[in-house]
Amino acid sequence: MGMRAINRSSSVNRPKWRKIAYGGMQPGFEDNHTDESFLEDMIMNANVVRRDLLKVMLDSVSISQYLCIVALVVLVWTYTLRSILTEDSLLLLDVTLLGLGFFILLVTAEMLSFELLLSYLLKISFFITGLYLLSPIYHTLTRSISSDSIWALTAVLIILHLFLHNYSGSTVKAPGTLENPTLTSNISLNASIVASLLIASRLPSRLHVFAIVLFSLQVFLFAPLVTYCIRKYSFRLHLILSFSLTCSTLFFVYNLHRLLFVLLFVILAFVNVICPYWLIRIQEYKFEINGPWDEAKLCFNITE
Amino acid sequence: MGAKISDAMGERGKHRILMVSDFFYPNFGGVESHIYYLSQCLIPLGHKVVVMTHAYNNRSGVRYMTGGLKVYYVPWKPFLMQNTLPTFYGTLPIIRTILIRENISVVHGHQAFSTLCHEALMHARTMGYKVVFTDHSLYGFADVGSIHMNKVLQFTLADVTQAICVSHTSKENTVLRSGLPPEKVYVIPNAVDTAMFKPAPEQLSNDEIVVIVISRLVYRKGADLLVEVIPEVCRLHPNVRFVIGGDGPKRVRLEEMREKHSLQDRVDMLGAVPHAKVRSVLITGHIFLNSSLTEAFCIAILEAASCGLLTVSTRVGGVPEVLPDDMIVLAEPDPSDMIHAIAKAINILPQIDPKAMHLRMKELYSWHDVARRTEIVYDRALRCSSQPLLERLSRYLTCGAWAGKLFCLVMLIDFILWHLLQLWQPDRDIEVVPDVTLANFLHEEMSWDSNQSETLR
């Protein structure tokens, strides 16, 4: 009892410690004094976003969708190399894809203007002519290299493409967008183009080469844009499309090779189920510290 | 030569300190002046101080500064922002030689991003010296650079004997970054040489109010805030004029702002101001404006206050601790709040007496006080018991699952290299420098303030 009274009186007489740097050493306190207020301005996990498992899973659908698109392209390559797909059917596929892509873009992007369409058609015809003229060169491009090396290189390039691909947007932008594509998405796009040229150079005729390069370029350049437009237009449509794409891809791959089917299935399950669950689980380890020592953020935009 | 060999240095309570940092004269900034003034004030207290830094251009080898302060400019080239290339063990031989030659008892490293400091502290700990570290800056926890720096700091501080920070906010930051127990971290602020920063002999009239800005014009110093604030203040207060001293990448933006709002006659851009000229710029103004986005302490505010200027500053980092509330107007780092704060400062300006403010600053801050408080830290450091290698290694192990083992490996290799060096060049083969006290400096010890300006610039 008496002790407590003495303590109280001493704490009354003693000047309170203040968080100041001026005036030399504070009387009664050493320089290494750690006050009760130490770290009281620290804020933990102020900006952490709580994520929902279902939403993360739905967001991951666009990744698996693109995986399926690339798998389908590889399937077309394989069937063409095995001479199951003829050049006529390939050309028919090209025209169908081009028409379908244009149709979707016109419907979803709401830019039904005759002049724009005309300028697009003009550009595309230039592009196709150029490709047709260059196809003899592509045809003999890698004649001196063995097919095994080409397949290995293509596989590496496709994996690189998938790793660096920009899944949240599209490298090829709709006209009028301001932001530029990132370096990694450009590298990804170039890897896919090189891969398709390598595959095309293994084909028997020039028309084959032309058809397959046109097909690959159509898919790699414009499929992200088209799927992006669909996703923006209607998320339900995006889900339906992804689901049907996944099913058909799995069906075709199953017909081609059992092991590849298992592999693709595992990858899709990993992307759509395990990764989202994993992300939610490791959220609890998130630890963010903020406090008065942080660099202040400017509340206005700097226009250089 | 007026030099004599004194044996008095070896007496109890007198330390033989090696200050290590990449940042020293001829470079100029907060760290550099801290080391210089602290050393100058420790020498009169009877301690021996030796400074070690890297070579600046052809300034290489051993130099003496005011008061017989010995400086080793180690011929080690800086590679980025005046930092030496981190080599871990490259500096071990020369640091060992200096430590033995100068018969050092305490090694005091400065600044968290000086590689030389980190290496010296590591070698000094390996050789069993007592080590003190001063942190002069603040770091965040979010970006990759900070995470890396924090790990390096954790490594150095894992085994440091005592640590010093320049403000309480800086102490909180350092404790969080390094995981040191808070009672091992001392808060000893910077100070200002009030004799060098005297107010103008005659008080300026308040008809025209001059706002002074002296800082490097970079993002972290809030140059972008100035671009927003200055035109608005000029519009609201027709009698206000700005003087901006400093250079940097953001200077172009400020000049653009001046053109755009046609403020050429009201905003003076001086370019880089050498430290010796800072006072002559400061005394032409009434208000000092600091717009930093992050600041551990801010010596510039002290210099301005010592010249009798009222300070307006952003409320960031350790700035709110630096001056009493009636000498500074604080604002959030936001243009509208800063404009408001400048208006408030203009209102209370008639009550400010520069001479009285200068006298108050003399009471509040002194490098001699800083030196005395640092001396206590050295005393404590020397009283700590020496620990065997194994016990120290266990402390490194706790630094992280992977990093801990890596740190241990680094320390073990350092230990082995040190022993190999001892075989190759035994301690007794290194000649110990006799302690030289320059007699003609001894009786000037209290008036060094007057001649250091020539030495520094």
Side-chain angles (χ1 to χ4, degrees), chain A residues 20-21 30-32 296 302, chain B residues 168 183 253 293 321 373 380:
Chain A
I20 49 168
E30 303 216 322
D31 281 328
N32 62 345
I302 303 167
Chain B
H168 296 286
E183 61 274 8
R253 286 206 69 208
L293 299 182
E321 304 165 25
R373 289 161 77 177
R380 296 264 171 88

Side-chain angles (χ1 to χ4, degrees), chain A residues 17-26 29-35 37-44 287-304, chain B residues 138-141 168-169 171-173 175-176 182-183 185-189 219-220 224-225 228 250 253 293-294 297 316-317 321-324 333-335 364-365 369 373 376 380:
Chain A
W17 182 87
R18 289 184 299 160
K19 196 179 176 179
I20 49 168
Y22 52 85
M25 203 187 272
Q26 294 190 33
F29 296 99
E30 303 216 322
D31 281 328
N32 62 345
H33 170 76
T34 308
D35 199 63
S37 65
F38 189 67
L39 287 181
E40 75 178 358
D41 291 329
M42 183 170 83
I43 304 160
M44 281 190 288
F287 183 49
E288 227 182 52
I289 308 171
N290 292 96
W293 49 82
D294 281 328
E295 191 176 292
K297 294 225 166 44
L298 295 177
C299 56
F300 52 90
N301 288 326
I302 303 167
T303 47
E304 292 281 351
Chain B
L138 298 176
Y139 269 91
F141 297 91
H168 296 286
T169 307
K171 173 174 173 178
E172 294 179 346
N173 187 238
V175 167
L176 278 178
E183 61 274 8
V185 185
Y186 292 71
V187 176
I188 300 177
Y219 174 81
R220 282 165 71 91
D224 301 290
L225 275 173
E228 303 287 320
K250 295 283 182 184
R253 286 206 69 208
L293 299 182
T294 173
F297 185 80
V316 292
E321 304 165 25
V322 167
L323 284 180
D334 158 80
L364 293 179
Y365 283 105
D369 174 55
R373 289 161 77 177
I376 297 172
R380 296 264 171 88

